[in-house]
Amino acid sequence: MNDLAARLLRAMTDPTPADEEFLADYPDLSLVSDEDLGTLLPAAYAAPAKPFVSTRVRFAVEDAAKERQPRYTPEACGRMFDALVRGLEKRNWADVRLGAAALLRCTGPWPDVAGQARALVRFLVDKGRLDQPYALLAVAGVAGPDLLGEVAERLADGGGPIARDEIGVIAALTAQERVVMAEFVGDDSYTAPPTAPDTAERAAGIEAYAGFARRALDAAAERARAIQEGSFPYRADKAFASGEVKALGHAARIALLRDEPWLPALLARLLPDVSVAPTEAKTLPSQALLYEIVRAAQDFPIPELVTTIRTVRGSVRHAGVPKQLDKMLKKVEAALAERTEVALRLPDLGFGPDGAHRRVLGAHTAVVTVGEKAELVFEKDGKALKSVPAAVRRDHKAEVKELRELVKRVDAHLTTLVRALEGGYTAGAVHPFGRWRDGLALHPVAGPTVRRLIWEVEEAPGEFRAVLPETGGLPDVPDTAGVRLWHPIGSAPDEVRAWRDLLVERRIRQPFKQAFREVYLLTLAEERTGTYSNRFAAHLVHYRRMAALFRARGWTSRLLGPWDGGQEDEAARVLGAGRWRVRFAHVLADWQDETVLAGTDRVVFARRDGGTWRDAPLTDVPPLVFSEAMRDVDLFVGVTSIAADPEWSGDGEPRRYWERSGFAELTESAEARRDALERILPRTKIAGRCSLDGRFLVVRGDLRTYKIHLGSANILMEPDDAYLCIVPAASKPGGAVFLPFEDGRLSLILSKALLLAADARITDESILTQIKGGAR
């Protein structure tokens, strides 16, 4: 035990005046090893409320344990059980999850804690405190088989058949397996450490529980089908008892983690049946189970389940469920992108090698094709028709409905694929060429999307060449060669420019911004600050919009607001296949009814060290991880800043910020927008009226000349730089303009340019008044 750990232990057990140093300075527990932390925790649990120094140190130790992975020597493990027993009288309860966690993290043979375990379990059972059932089973198993049987019987009482089955299965496991399951399930606890890193894999390897998982999910699907068929009584949201919902959530997580081959088809039956009432009511058999399965998908997603959730989202009749599913799906998609071994898997859905799904309907043929999206058309004698033929509508209603559902399902699969591809950039996945070719590039559904992206193919060990299959076809390399997504951060500027030119010349629209993707490199200022970046600090943003973007990009955050603890937060996202975490600090700046402003602060990165996150110097962060994280933060600020709000009318400092930032120097995202405009504008009908000048797109109209800022899309009018307010709804594109990627701000800038280039034809009085009022 090092000196700091020894002083902390003394402060909690027998404090001296010297220990009052911890009242002035919060102890730095990062200087304490995980094994020393395991020694301190029993003392923290048993620390008295007075003197105050003991309580202060106790809180510091417990807070550190909730972020790290303490390790217990057998002696420390025994002391943890002693502390739990001694605390029974004072607390009238015991956090038995701490006991189970200590056994899981014990560095040697388990100590003999049967007596303490029996005292703990007996006390809790007699008091009816069964709120940590899985940890209670684990500790009861240490106490002895008789008490284990009694606990299992108590827990199974009234829980429903699926929950009773789970309790029986866990009770029959070995003592070590019960401890693993207690950790995997994670009963509620205020002081337990985060889940140990290898817990999920260990739990998935318990064959008896895997058998229960299939049995339970089969039973749930059968009951849900019986409800739909009327052989099981329907009561809104009462199809499964609460204990059954929890057990099914555990079962789903194990099956998802094992990537069981039978699971996608089962969930494709189960989720629709629990999501829609068998009547016309706008209720559903089990909202609780639907959400629990989606939460399981957030932990261990598979693409088939993501598609099923999207399909359910479109059919559910309950008004509030789609909105909640949308929020949850963002987290599922972010998690899927990190699970690269399954993320890119797609079914063929009955499409042929030519990329079409054909169905003969009388004298007509229905054809579903896949490009950027799926499309259903009807043909007769090989000629495409403009609408659904009357004979098909009359005689083949069911088939038409089924084909339209297929179109929705294909689009859902494509959305899943695209988000998995883009979100998985930082994982650095390299796929075997043969599997990538057959499963993606030549796949009838995925192929059109995958072939519009740039890929790097390994031509010799460690030597990659970039290819765009849409223009150059597939290279001839061995099936074992590696292939990975290309990112501009690893290429010379000339190569990046060449790819951008090619996309525009061939009018190839990529499924996400790749060739025109922004690159964020570490600056000298960030090297000096060391562990944090202020690049996007000190901005004022519309908070609700930014919070929505957090969810959309897979970041987690707490809501800010005028309540306790609602003044500040750090939005976080895990990147790099779970190895890195980025945090973006923000604070509540103003709250006035519908107008909620937040102020932005620093960006910090942490590296996973075992089960713990440790802040890292920015110079240690892989360039691709850094770039993708900062790209997200730039998006959050750029889209939600009040500087990009043409109708902002506040005063004071917010107004000064709006004036200062609305026409500021360009960020990387705005620079990429400028680069795209250089290629797009010459091909438009307003090319002769436009030019790029620094931060602005300059548009010459008949009435005035306008400068559109490439970051905010705000407009100044020459010659006096008067501000012109055009809200997005008023700016209408004058014609289709090809964009090589989707960018809302770029589309807005172009639509404003098209409008202003023909300003003599503007009829909107609110715009004309501004233009003519200052025209000279």
Side-chain angles (χ1 to χ4, degrees):
M1 178 178 290
N2 69 20
D3 179 61
L4 174 59
R7 287 187 287 128
L8 293 172
L9 182 62
R10 184 186 64 199
M12 290 186 291
T13 56
D14 188 21
T16 68
D19 298 319
E20 293 185 3
E21 64 175 297
F22 298 126
L23 295 178
D25 295 311
Y26 210 63
D28 184 1
L29 270 293
S30 67
L31 304 176
V32 172
S33 70
D34 290 343
E35 190 162 298
D36 284 347
L37 187 58
T39 299
L40 293 171
L41 267 173
Y45 192 85
K50 295 181 180 180
F52 184 61
V53 66
S54 297
T55 303
R56 185 173 176 87
V57 172
R58 166 200 162 194
F59 288 156
V61 170
E62 290 181 342
D63 286 347
K66 286 186 282 189
E67 297 291 329
R68 292 171 52 184
Q69 290 293 334
R71 300 174 69 235
Y72 295 83
T73 63
E75 293 77 13
C77 185
R79 286 196 295 273
M80 187 75 255
F81 273 83
D82 288 338
L84 289 168
V85 173
R86 288 199 304 272
L88 286 173
E89 184 175 351
K90 177 178 68 175
R91 300 169 186 264
N92 203 32
W93 180 73
D95 189 347
V96 288
R97 188 176 167 194
L98 282 176
L103 292 172
L104 185 80
R105 294 165 177 77
C106 190
T107 59
W110 288 0
D112 182 5
V113 291
Q116 297 96 314
R118 179 170 288 276
L120 288 170
V121 174
R122 184 77 274 157
F123 182 93
L124 293 171
V125 169
D126 290 346
K127 292 284 187 179
R129 298 299 302 270
L130 309 178
D131 44 327
Q132 293 181 314
Y134 301 94
L136 195 62
L137 279 171
V139 174
V142 176
D146 57 331
L147 196 52
L148 175 62
E150 181 182 344
V151 169
E153 186 176 343
R154 285 287 301 274
L155 292 175
D157 185 31
I162 294 174
R164 289 196 296 273
D165 189 8
E166 183 193 35
I167 294 299
V169 168
I170 293 177
L173 299 176
T174 67
Q176 288 77 12
E177 289 172 336
R178 280 191 294 272
V179 168
V180 170
M181 288 308 303
E183 181 83 3
F184 177 73
V185 170
D187 292 310
D188 290 338
S189 170
Y190 292 109
T191 48
T195 304
D198 63 343
T199 299
E201 288 71 22
R202 292 175 66 183
I206 301 174
E207 293 299 329
Y209 196 89
F212 158 75
R214 179 161 195 177
R215 194 164 62 245
L217 291 167
D218 275 334
E222 290 173 6
R223 189 185 304 176
R225 180 87 305 253
I227 289 172
Q228 295 296 329
E229 293 173 348
S231 58
F232 192 94
Y234 173 67
R235 289 187 300 154
D237 210 25
K238 299 293 184 182
F240 301 91
S242 60
E244 291 184 308
V245 170
K246 290 181 181 178
L248 287 165
H250 307 153
R253 286 171 175 82
I254 290 294
L256 288 166
L257 181 57
R258 290 167 64 96
D259 197 19
E260 297 283 14
W262 48 265
L263 186 63
L266 189 150
L267 293 177
R269 300 195 316 270
L270 172 61
L271 290 195
D273 280 351
V274 300
S275 303
V276 179
T279 64
E280 293 301 314
K282 295 182 179 180
T283 56
L284 56 164
S286 184
Q287 190 171 166
L289 182 57
L290 172 62
Y291 291 157
E292 183 63 22
I293 297 295
V294 179
R295 281 190 289 269
Q298 291 174 353
D299 294 334
F300 308 109
I302 58 174
E304 298 89 347
L305 177 53
V306 179
T307 298
T308 296
I309 296 169
R310 283 204 184 91
T311 302
V312 166
R313 184 245 179 264
S315 61
V316 67
R317 295 193 291 264
H318 188 290
V321 171
K323 184 176 180 180
Q324 182 63 25
L325 288 179
D326 286 342
K327 293 179 182 179
M328 300 175 80
L329 265 170
K330 303 303 181 185
K331 295 181 181 179
V332 176
E333 289 162 351
L336 179 63
E338 295 292 322
R339 201 179 181 198
T340 56
E341 72 275 15
V342 301
L344 308 183
R345 185 175 63 213
L346 272 83
D348 62 29
L349 299 174
F351 283 72
D354 63 346
H357 177 102
R358 291 180 172 81
R359 188 90 56 91
V360 176
L361 304 176
H364 299 84
T365 301
V367 183
V368 179
T369 56
V370 182
E372 291 187 20
K373 301 186 97 177
E375 183 181 7
L376 170 63
V377 297
F378 293 87
E379 297 178 350
K380 185 174 184 180
D381 300 327
K383 183 179 179 181
L385 306 177
K386 293 183 179 180
S387 61
V388 184
V392 172
R393 285 199 305 268
R394 183 185 65 244
D395 301 332
H396 301 279
K397 290 181 181 179
E399 290 91 339
V400 171
K401 180 180 179 181
E402 184 182 337
L403 287 165
R404 285 173 173 161
E405 288 298 322
L406 176 62
V407 169
K408 293 179 183 178
R409 197 155 66 250
V410 169
D411 285 342
H413 274 298
L414 292 178
T415 300
T416 300
L417 172 67
V418 168
R419 291 180 179 172
L421 285 168
E422 184 180 21
Y425 248 139
T426 62
V430 178
H431 313 280
F433 178 79
R435 178 182 169 192
W436 170 85
R437 177 195 61 218
D438 299 336
L440 288 175
L442 298 180
H443 190 282
V445 174
T449 294
V450 170
R451 292 193 294 269
R452 286 182 285 121
L453 290 168
I454 304 167
W455 297 84
E456 290 186 313
V457 179
E458 191 175 28
E459 295 189 313
E463 296 181 11
F464 287 81
R465 177 173 68 89
V467 298
L468 178 62
E470 186 74 3
T471 61
L474 299 179
D476 183 15
V477 297
D479 285 359
T480 55
V483 60
R484 65 192 181 193
L485 263 178
W486 175 89
H487 191 288
I489 199 170
S491 299
D494 286 346
E495 181 185 358
V496 176
R497 282 193 290 270
W499 283 122
R500 292 177 176 181
D501 289 340
L502 180 64
L503 289 177
V504 175
E505 289 168 7
R506 300 289 185 89
R507 295 180 66 84
I508 297 172
R509 180 180 172 89
Q510 294 195 289
F512 57 81
K513 190 188 292 187
Q514 187 190 29
F516 285 88
R517 201 171 191 82
E518 306 87 349
V519 171
Y520 299 77
L521 302 175
L522 200 63
T523 65
L524 290 176
E526 287 162 340
E527 290 180 6
R528 285 194 294 269
T529 55
T531 58
Y532 62 91
S533 167
N534 279 330
R535 188 183 308 199
F536 297 106
H539 288 274
L540 284 174
V541 300
H542 289 287
Y543 173 66
R544 288 194 176 98
R545 298 178 194 171
M546 187 169 73
L549 275 179
F550 287 158
R551 293 191 296 271
R553 296 294 299 171
W555 291 60
T556 58
S557 67
R558 293 182 297 107
L559 284 177
L560 299 182
W563 47 74
D564 186 31
Q567 297 300 307
E568 60 185 17
D569 186 40
E570 289 184 321
R573 182 184 174 191
V574 176
L575 300 165
R579 296 184 295 272
W580 290 91
R581 183 178 69 179
V582 57
R583 305 195 310 277
F584 174 38
H586 50 286
V587 299
L588 185 66
D590 190 25
W591 180 290
Q592 295 180 3
D593 298 323
E594 292 302 312
T595 302
V596 185
L597 299 184
T600 64
D601 206 333
R602 61 183 53 178
V603 177
V604 179
F605 289 82
R607 179 195 288 111
R608 185 179 287 281
D609 181 6
T612 302
W613 291 107
R614 299 188 187 278
D615 287 351
L618 298 182
T619 52
D620 288 355
V621 182
L624 183 54
V625 171
F626 180 85
S627 183
E628 288 297 296
M630 298 302 275
R631 181 177 184 269
D632 271 3
V633 179
D634 190 357
L635 171 72
F636 301 150
V637 174
V639 171
T640 67
S641 169
I642 63 171
D645 183 349
E647 296 185 286
W648 177 256
S649 58
D651 52 17
E653 178 52 34
R655 184 66 187 183
R656 287 189 289 274
Y657 165 82
W658 185 91
E659 294 170 347
R660 183 173 65 249
S661 301
F663 302 97
E665 293 297 326
L666 302 184
T667 64
E668 286 85 345
S669 62
E671 290 286 2
R673 204 170 289 132
R674 176 193 171 91
D675 196 299
L677 283 169
E678 286 179 346
R679 292 165 170 79
I680 295 168
L681 284 171
R683 302 168 187 272
T684 66
K685 64 182 182 181
I686 60 170
R689 289 180 173 266
C690 295
S691 62
L692 289 165
D693 183 9
R695 291 168 278 170
F696 298 94
L697 168 60
V698 181
V699 181
R700 180 175 52 83
D702 293 321
L703 303 179
R704 300 192 71 161
T705 296
Y706 311 88
K707 298 191 299 184
I708 307 175
H709 190 260
L710 300 177
S712 65
N714 290 342
I715 306 168
L716 298 176
M717 297 185 290
E718 294 184 348
D720 54 357
D721 280 352
Y723 176 68
L724 173 61
C725 176
I726 300 179
V727 297
S731 58
K732 300 177 182 178
V737 178
F738 167 75
L739 299 181
F741 56 86
E742 185 177 345
D743 184 315
R745 189 63 53 83
L746 178 58
S747 298
L748 177 61
I749 289 170
L750 280 169
S751 67
K752 288 183 176 181
L754 288 163
L755 179 75
L756 295 172
D759 57 0
R761 295 201 296 269
I762 293 175
T763 58
D764 188 302
E765 286 298 327
S766 67
I767 300 175
L768 284 175
T769 299
Q770 297 176 77
I771 294 174
K772 295 180 177 179
R776 297 172 184 171

